[in-house]
Amino acid sequence: MRGKGKSTIVWLLMGMLVLGLGGFGVTNFSGGSADIGAVGDVEISAQDYARTLRAEMQDFSARTGRQISAAEAKAIGVDQAALARLYTAAALEAEANRLGVSVGDQAVAEQITGIAAFRGLNGQFDRAIYADALRREGIREAEFEHDLRMDMARLILQDAALAGVSAPEPVVAQTQGWLLETRDIHWRELTAEDLPAPVATPDEPTLQAWHKANADRFTAPEIRRITYVWLTPEMLEGEVEVDEAALRELYQDRIEEFQQPERRMVERLVFPTMAAAEEAKARIDRGEITFEQLAAERGLTLADIDLGEVSQAELGAAGEAVFALEEPGVAGPAGSDLGPALFSMNAILEPLDIPFEEARDDLRLEAAVDRARRQIEERSGEFADLLAGGAALEDMVQDTPMQLGRIDWSQGAEADPNGIDAYPEFRQRAAQLTEKDFPELFETGDGGVFAMRLDEIEPPALIPFEEVRERVAEDWARNETHRLLLALAEERRVEAEAAAETGIEPAPTAATAPVAQALGAAATGTGTDSPAPAAEKPVPDPGTPATNLARGGFINGVPQDVVAQAFEIAEEGATEVVDAENRVFLVTLDRIRPAETEGDEAAQIREGISARLADSLRQDVFDYFTRALQAQAGVTLNQTAVDAVNAQVQ
């Protein structure tokens, strides 16, 4: 419903307050020096519109992860959404006033004292904090309390209007049946091997025409020739000196990475009593149940009881029993800090003993890179100042440890794992760079820095036929094969449907059958011989079966469109051609299985369908209701005031 929008109280306190009313309205129609309009005698202030517009923009930014300007907000209709919210709220308030719907002072007081932003250090409502918060927002207490009262009145009106709206049972049942219906099908993919003859080799004029007709497939992308300087921690790593003592200290700080006792991968299942644990272990020993099934009996998964990698000491009293196992198995029962338990040991991890001498090179590299990263951070201000002072990229190589490079870059091209284009920060800047931009210093995610200059843009261009002849030939052959497969599939579809028809026999021609019989009798000397039966045509191979296929299900290795098309076939026995992901399939519907509407799972699905349909109906009813209220009360809009607010909001 549209009522899921934020209340003005949230906007009023700049996101600090959360009022759990869940209503549709936007309050505070009393502030501001100008009005943008009204519904009946309920005016909408410019201040409210500005606040609502900012809230809508912030909400959009939170959902998309990027900030938008007022111009962008207007272009995508955010301002219209804010206006719609305000006019809906005003219409509800006008109707509540007309009907005399309101709430008492006690309800308003409970709402105010329940707002966390108005509480003091002791967690209780603080009158001084309340007054100060409203004063900072320029709202009088009486206005704020009026807004709260109208919020609740609108909710009462909304609930009354929508209370009788529910999903029609026939629609719910039909939707459930449609959703849970399953089908049995046969499917078969046609490939080039199924064609009666290989695809012909095209001549040169055909390929040249294909090259021109499909120029977009053989056009080189825009190429941006970029000069750059960059510096990464790895470039400085060899020049950084790392003290031996510091490496030994680092080794000791991370000793757990290099020195570990033998460990086991263990899961623990705790029981209320030792007798229950012993009985469970006996069932496992007799082969009646597995450890995983035992956990499932108690409503647990292996993830719920996984202890991960543990040493014997970490297992406490159970350590000896678990570490006595020489291969994966179940140990116990044994005591644990949670009570008697069984322990499933799944893997043995050998002790880890890496001396300092073996770890030294890796530690030195890590420490050197970390120190180089700090050096780059310390000097980045110096690099930025040089660029701001007009230093060319070529000069940066002389005055700093940065390295110069050039790249012909295009969007979508595969990046060099060791090149600067492997950095997303570079690719983002390269796509936005213009020839008018001056080099700036940017950072990479690993602590490096770079600056760049766009030297030239080579626009997209059709690659000459001679350079891509092989690609053109492959593309033509692929397209021609696909065309022939579709034609073959249509023939096979017709054959399959003809074979599926029952009671149809090849009929002799009525005019010639007696003559043929007479000629046969004359030739053989008898009139009793019947014509030889016609040879039976082989039944087409239907392909691979898939039974109980659910709507939205999948077939391994087959495009999802095949499954979707299977549920579009109307009649059992019908065959359809499916063109999916440049592959051609024949799909035959064998059987439509009605939905299973009994059971817990079906009931849950039915409830979900009912809830979604009811929400959709309430949405529509609420829209019609509020529009009718606006038409009844009369709506005015001051577009000049709206434009003034739009110009001020940033």
Side-chain angles (χ1 to χ4, degrees):
M1 300 294 290
R2 287 190 173 86
K4 292 180 181 175
K6 298 178 182 176
S7 169
T8 304
I9 300 167
V10 182
W11 308 331
L12 194 64
L13 300 178
M14 304 173 69
M16 297 187 296
L17 312 180
V18 177
L19 182 59
L21 294 178
F24 294 87
V26 178
T27 63
N28 188 19
F29 294 116
S30 53
S33 57
D35 294 331
I36 65 164
V39 177
D41 57 1
V42 177
E43 297 176 344
I44 305 172
S45 71
Q47 179 184 2
D48 271 334
Y49 174 57
R51 185 181 299 112
T52 307
L53 180 57
R54 290 192 183 97
E56 290 285 346
M57 292 171 60
Q58 291 168 3
D59 181 66
F60 181 87
S61 298
R63 287 186 283 109
T64 60
R66 68 180 186 89
Q67 295 294 325
I68 60 171
S69 65
E72 289 178 296
K74 183 175 178 61
I76 60 179
V78 173
D79 59 330
Q80 295 302 311
L83 284 172
R85 189 180 299 280
L86 287 168
Y87 275 89
T88 295
L92 288 171
E93 181 171 343
E95 181 66 4
N97 290 337
R98 187 183 71 84
L99 297 175
V101 177
S102 186
V103 297
D105 294 341
Q106 181 63 33
V108 175
E110 290 176 358
Q111 289 292 340
I112 292 174
T113 56
I115 298 175
F118 296 154
R119 295 174 184 169
L121 297 177
N122 60 358
Q124 301 298 315
F125 174 75
D126 190 307
R127 186 70 178 73
I129 293 177
Y130 170 62
D132 184 61
L134 295 184
R135 184 170 56 255
R136 288 197 305 270
E137 295 298 326
I139 302 297
R140 293 184 294 110
E141 293 181 21
E143 294 174 357
F144 182 73
E145 290 161 11
H146 168 77
D147 294 339
L148 275 178
R149 193 184 309 276
M150 293 314 303
D151 267 336
M152 290 183 278
R154 278 191 291 269
L155 280 175
I156 294 172
L157 188 61
Q158 166 196 318
D159 291 343
L162 304 180
V165 179
S166 61
E169 282 302 314
V171 178
V172 174
Q174 184 176 5
T175 305
Q176 183 189 32
W178 177 86
L179 186 63
L180 297 182
E181 171 193 299
T182 61
R183 298 192 170 196
D184 295 348
I185 67 168
H186 276 78
W187 64 272
R188 180 184 176 192
E189 181 177 7
L190 299 184
T191 62
E193 287 75 17
D194 295 304
L195 294 175
V199 175
T201 302
D203 55 21
E204 288 297 299
T206 299
L207 291 181
Q208 291 175 359
W210 186 259
H211 174 251
K212 293 179 181 178
N214 298 275
D216 57 317
R217 304 185 192 179
F218 310 107
T219 296
E222 175 187 270
I223 296 177
R224 292 174 156 248
R225 294 191 168 88
I226 296 173
T227 299
Y228 63 90
V229 289
W230 65 325
L231 183 63
T232 67
E234 288 74 14
M235 294 177 184
L236 296 179
E237 172 267 324
E239 304 173 9
V240 174
E241 296 184 2
V242 182
D243 183 69
E244 182 81 6
L247 290 180
R248 290 189 177 275
E249 182 178 351
L250 182 60
Y251 176 81
Q252 290 300 323
D253 290 341
R254 297 165 49 183
I255 193 64
E256 292 182 355
E257 297 180 23
F258 308 108
Q259 301 289 332
Q260 293 184 6
E262 180 181 326
R263 291 153 295 141
R264 304 287 173 97
M265 300 288 291
V266 177
E267 293 151 356
R268 178 182 63 187
L269 186 57
V270 180
F271 292 84
T273 64
M274 182 62 73
E278 291 173 348
E279 180 184 353
K281 181 62 163 60
R283 292 175 64 193
I284 293 176
D285 293 341
R286 291 193 299 266
E288 298 177 0
I289 196 170
T290 65
F291 187 84
E292 182 175 3
Q293 292 169 341
L294 197 61
E297 278 187 355
R298 308 183 60 192
L300 300 171
T301 66
L302 295 183
D304 297 328
I305 59 178
D306 185 26
L307 296 180
E309 302 175 10
V310 292
S311 65
Q312 182 170 348
E314 289 172 330
L315 287 172
E320 183 176 352
V322 173
F323 275 74
L325 296 174
E326 296 182 357
E327 60 183 17
V330 178
S336 73
D337 52 355
L338 298 178
L342 293 181
F343 297 83
S344 175
M345 190 273 288
N346 303 311
I348 299 175
L349 305 178
E350 297 297 329
L352 190 63
D353 184 12
I354 302 176
F356 171 75
E357 288 70 23
E358 292 184 18
R360 183 184 184 282
D361 290 344
D362 290 339
L363 288 172
R364 189 221 164 268
L365 177 61
E366 184 177 339
V369 168
D370 184 63
R371 186 164 297 181
R373 187 179 296 112
R374 292 197 298 271
Q375 289 182 2
I376 293 174
E377 183 180 359
E378 292 170 357
R379 297 193 62 183
S380 60
E382 172 193 342
F383 302 157
D385 289 343
L386 288 172
L387 291 171
L393 297 183
E394 291 77 6
D395 298 333
M396 297 292 291
V397 179
Q398 305 297 326
D399 301 331
T400 72
M402 301 185 79
Q403 297 182 10
L404 183 70
R406 291 179 175 83
I407 185 173
D408 291 345
W409 181 83
S410 61
Q411 280 189 323
E414 185 176 354
D416 179 0
N418 299 316
I420 192 171
D421 54 331
Y423 289 97
E425 296 86 359
F426 174 84
R427 297 195 299 271
Q428 178 184 356
R429 300 292 179 180
Q432 302 171 351
L433 194 62
T434 70
E435 294 176 333
K436 296 180 180 180
D437 292 335
F438 292 100
E440 298 180 58
L441 194 71
F442 302 108
E443 297 181 356
T444 60
D446 64 353
V449 292
F450 68 93
M452 58 203 306
R453 180 185 69 224
L454 180 61
D455 299 326
E456 181 186 0
I457 295 180
E458 184 176 310
L462 180 64
I463 305 173
F465 172 76
E466 293 73 16
E467 297 181 19
V468 290
R469 186 190 182 285
E470 291 186 6
R471 279 177 53 192
V472 173
E474 291 174 0
D475 190 68
W476 183 92
R478 185 164 49 249
N479 184 79
E480 182 67 8
T481 300
H482 190 71
R483 185 185 67 81
L484 294 174
L485 286 175
L486 286 174
L488 177 62
E490 186 61 27
E491 294 177 9
R492 297 284 177 86
R493 183 191 68 80
V494 174
E495 293 174 2
E497 291 190 348
E501 294 289 338
T502 58
I504 300 178
E505 300 290 342
T509 56
T512 59
V515 177
Q517 291 174 2
L519 290 174
T524 59
T526 175
T528 60
D529 292 342
S530 59
E536 293 186 3
K537 200 169 185 178
V539 177
D541 177 17
T544 305
T547 58
N548 284 319
L549 186 62
R551 191 181 299 274
F554 70 94
I555 301 173
N556 191 30
V558 174
Q560 194 64 28
D561 283 349
V562 173
V563 177
Q565 188 62 40
F567 280 86
E568 295 295 326
I569 302 176
E571 298 179 359
E572 295 180 354
T575 299
E576 292 292 343
V577 177
V578 180
D579 183 1
E581 299 178 7
N582 291 320
R583 298 163 66 184
V584 178
F585 295 85
L586 283 170
V587 180
T588 301
L589 175 60
D590 299 327
R591 181 181 177 186
I592 298 176
R593 297 179 181 272
E596 293 288 343
T597 57
E598 302 298 328
D600 293 341
E601 183 177 356
Q604 291 176 0
I605 292 175
R606 186 183 183 91
E607 290 175 2
I609 293 171
S610 180
R612 287 193 294 273
L613 287 175
D615 284 346
S616 179
L617 288 173
R618 291 189 186 103
Q619 171 79 61
D620 293 339
V621 170
F622 184 77
D623 285 345
Y624 298 144
F625 178 60
T626 54
R627 289 178 187 177
L629 292 180
Q630 292 178 36
Q632 173 182 297
V635 174
T636 60
L637 174 67
N638 183 347
Q639 188 61 50
T640 302
V642 171
D643 293 340
V645 173
N646 290 340
Q648 294 173 2
V649 172
Q650 298 297 330

